[in-house]
Amino acid sequence: MTVLLLAGFAALLAAGCAPRLARAGWVVRAPGLALFVWQMLCAATLLSVVLAGLASMLHWGDADDVVCTAWRLCLDALFGHHGRPAQAVAGTGAALLVAMWARLLHAGWRVIGTERAQGRRLRTMMRLLGSRLPALDATVMPSPHPAAYLVPGGHRHVVITSGALRHLTADQVHAVMAHERAHATGRHYWLLRTVRMLHRAFPRVPMSILAHAQVCRLVELRADEVATRSNRPLTLARALVTMAETRAAGTVDGGDTAERLERLLRPPAPLPRATARALGVSAALLPAVPVGPAVLDRCLALH
């Protein structure tokens, strides 16, 4: 029963909550909160799957001390000591866990390795071709296209092209730099790395596709939101148009330029504090939901 509850909860989050969150209109009004909700939604889904796999192996028979006997119970069920149905369920749970963690570890290794390789190549180019611009605390790279971006791999070094300095006004350059700094201070590279890992590990799972697309979209909206606290929205919008016209938008990881322009030119009203607080608390508690049935199952087993 516990396995079915946990699996059903994971399916509900992946097939029900994730698509609704992707279509929700309030995320444009609070992209930072929406990013947090996506994190908690993915965490709760993965946790539910892991606990379902563990429960399928651990719930056969009673135990005096679950910590000491957990592995013995796993092996007993897998070896068929509790009957064929128990062995089939335990085997399925074990296979699910092994496959999931293997794919996640492999995806993480590939994603992090790719980021590090890209970062090393770019840092080499920066040393050979770049010039430091202390006024912006950035490195200028020669390129005819206006662009600005962070060095891949979790670094906070900002690169801006000579084309950006040539095509953008001083105020627009400062607005673009504020946008990139917002990515760095908000640790958006960690969020992007996580969803890239999920998407690479499970490329055909609808939830991983949605999470990847939405996080890429929301980090751009969030960075715009932070940048406009110290710059005029119209200034950043004009910079976006200039960069899009020269096809430099491809250097931005995600985000819809039209949507970003609409939000900058017509800023939406922020969410009411009570609503934002309720959403945040609900999201924070979401990963705790699957823990309840698992803990209850163990408590019943101990008695």
Side-chain angles (χ1 to χ4, degrees), residues 129-149 158-178 181 239 242-243 246 248:
L129 304 174
S131 58
R132 193 69 183 164
L133 189 62
L136 294 177
D137 190 20
T139 299
V140 180
M141 291 290 290
S143 173
H145 303 297
Y149 47 88
V158 180
V159 174
I160 188 168
T161 64
S162 56
L165 299 178
R166 184 166 57 253
H167 288 87
L168 303 179
T169 67
D171 288 343
Q172 290 171 358
V173 169
H174 283 290
V176 169
M177 292 298 296
R181 297 292 180 200
T242 301
M243 295 169 75
T246 55

Side-chain angles (χ1 to χ4, degrees), residues 65 102 150 165-166 182 210 220:
D65 187 344
L150 293 176
L165 299 178
R166 184 166 57 253
L210 273 178
E220 298 302 328

Side-chain angles (χ1 to χ4, degrees), residues 18 34 42 67 78 89-90 108 115 118 127 130 136 146 182 206 224 260 266 274 278 298:
C42 291
V67 176
L78 288 173
V89 175
E115 287 182 355
Q118 291 175 343
R127 287 194 297 269
L136 294 177
D224 288 344
R260 292 173 62 188
R266 298 179 180 178
R298 287 295 88 207

Side-chain angles (χ1 to χ4, degrees), residues 19-53:
R20 289 179 64 88
L21 180 58
R23 295 191 302 266
W26 66 265
V27 300
V28 178
R29 301 170 64 186
L33 176 60
L35 284 169
F36 176 71
V37 175
W38 271 109
Q39 291 179 71
M40 295 298 101
L41 186 63
C42 291
T45 304
L46 286 175
L47 183 59
S48 298
V49 174
V50 170
L51 291 176

Side-chain angles (χ1 to χ4, degrees), residues 24-299:
W26 66 265
V27 300
V28 178
R29 301 170 64 186
L33 176 60
L35 284 169
F36 176 71
V37 175
W38 271 109
Q39 291 179 71
M40 295 298 101
L41 186 63
C42 291
T45 304
L46 286 175
L47 183 59
S48 298
V49 174
V50 170
L51 291 176
L54 291 175
S56 70
M57 294 186 288
L58 297 182
H59 83 281
W60 311 106
D62 295 330
D64 295 323
D65 187 344
V66 68
V67 176
C68 295
T69 62
W71 286 108
R72 181 180 64 78
L73 287 172
C74 287
L75 295 176
D76 283 352
L78 288 173
F79 290 155
H81 295 168
H82 297 286
R84 293 292 183 183
Q87 185 180 30
V89 175
T92 301
L96 177 68
L97 289 178
V98 170
M100 185 181 74
W101 285 111
R103 292 186 70 90
L104 283 173
L105 289 174
H106 180 261
W109 178 72
R110 292 296 298 273
V111 168
I112 293 174
T114 299
E115 287 182 355
R116 288 178 176 174
Q118 291 175 343
R120 284 194 298 268
R121 285 196 297 269
L122 182 56
R123 287 194 298 275
T124 300
M125 292 177 61
M126 289 166 61
R127 287 194 297 269
L128 296 175
L129 304 174
S131 58
R132 193 69 183 164
L133 189 62
L136 294 177
D137 190 20
T139 299
V140 180
M141 291 290 290
S143 173
H145 303 297
Y149 47 88
L150 293 176
V151 176
H155 300 278
R156 296 195 173 196
H157 305 305
V158 180
V159 174
I160 188 168
T161 64
S162 56
L165 299 178
R166 184 166 57 253
H167 288 87
L168 303 179
T169 67
D171 288 343
Q172 290 171 358
V173 169
H174 283 290
V176 169
M177 292 298 296
H179 174 96
E180 297 303 325
R181 297 292 180 200
H183 281 314
T185 56
R187 298 183 179 273
H188 293 167
Y189 47 86
W190 288 109
L191 300 178
L192 292 169
R193 176 181 291 174
T194 301
V195 293
R196 286 181 189 134
M197 289 169 56
L198 287 174
H199 188 251
R200 192 180 189 99
F202 312 107
R204 298 183 181 180
V205 176
M207 183 175 182
S208 71
I209 298 172
L210 273 178
H212 181 263
Q214 290 301 309
V215 169
C216 289
R217 166 200 178 202
L218 290 168
V219 293
E220 298 302 328
L221 295 180
R222 174 58 178 170
D224 288 344
E225 183 179 61
V226 174
T228 53
R229 293 174 182 172
S230 56
N231 297 272
R232 293 176 59 209
L234 183 59
T235 301
L236 182 56
R238 286 173 173 167
L240 279 178
V241 171
T242 301
M243 295 169 75
E245 287 177 345
T246 55
R247 299 183 179 180
T251 59
V252 179
D253 189 359
D256 185 327
T257 302
E259 181 182 39
R260 292 173 62 188
L261 288 173
E262 176 70 19
R263 191 177 187 277
L264 288 169
L265 297 176
R266 298 179 180 178
L271 284 179
R273 288 188 178 181
T275 302
R277 190 177 297 113
L279 286 169
V281 172
S282 300
L285 294 176
L286 201 56
V289 174
V291 177
V295 171
L296 180 61
D297 178 65
R298 287 295 88 207
C299 291

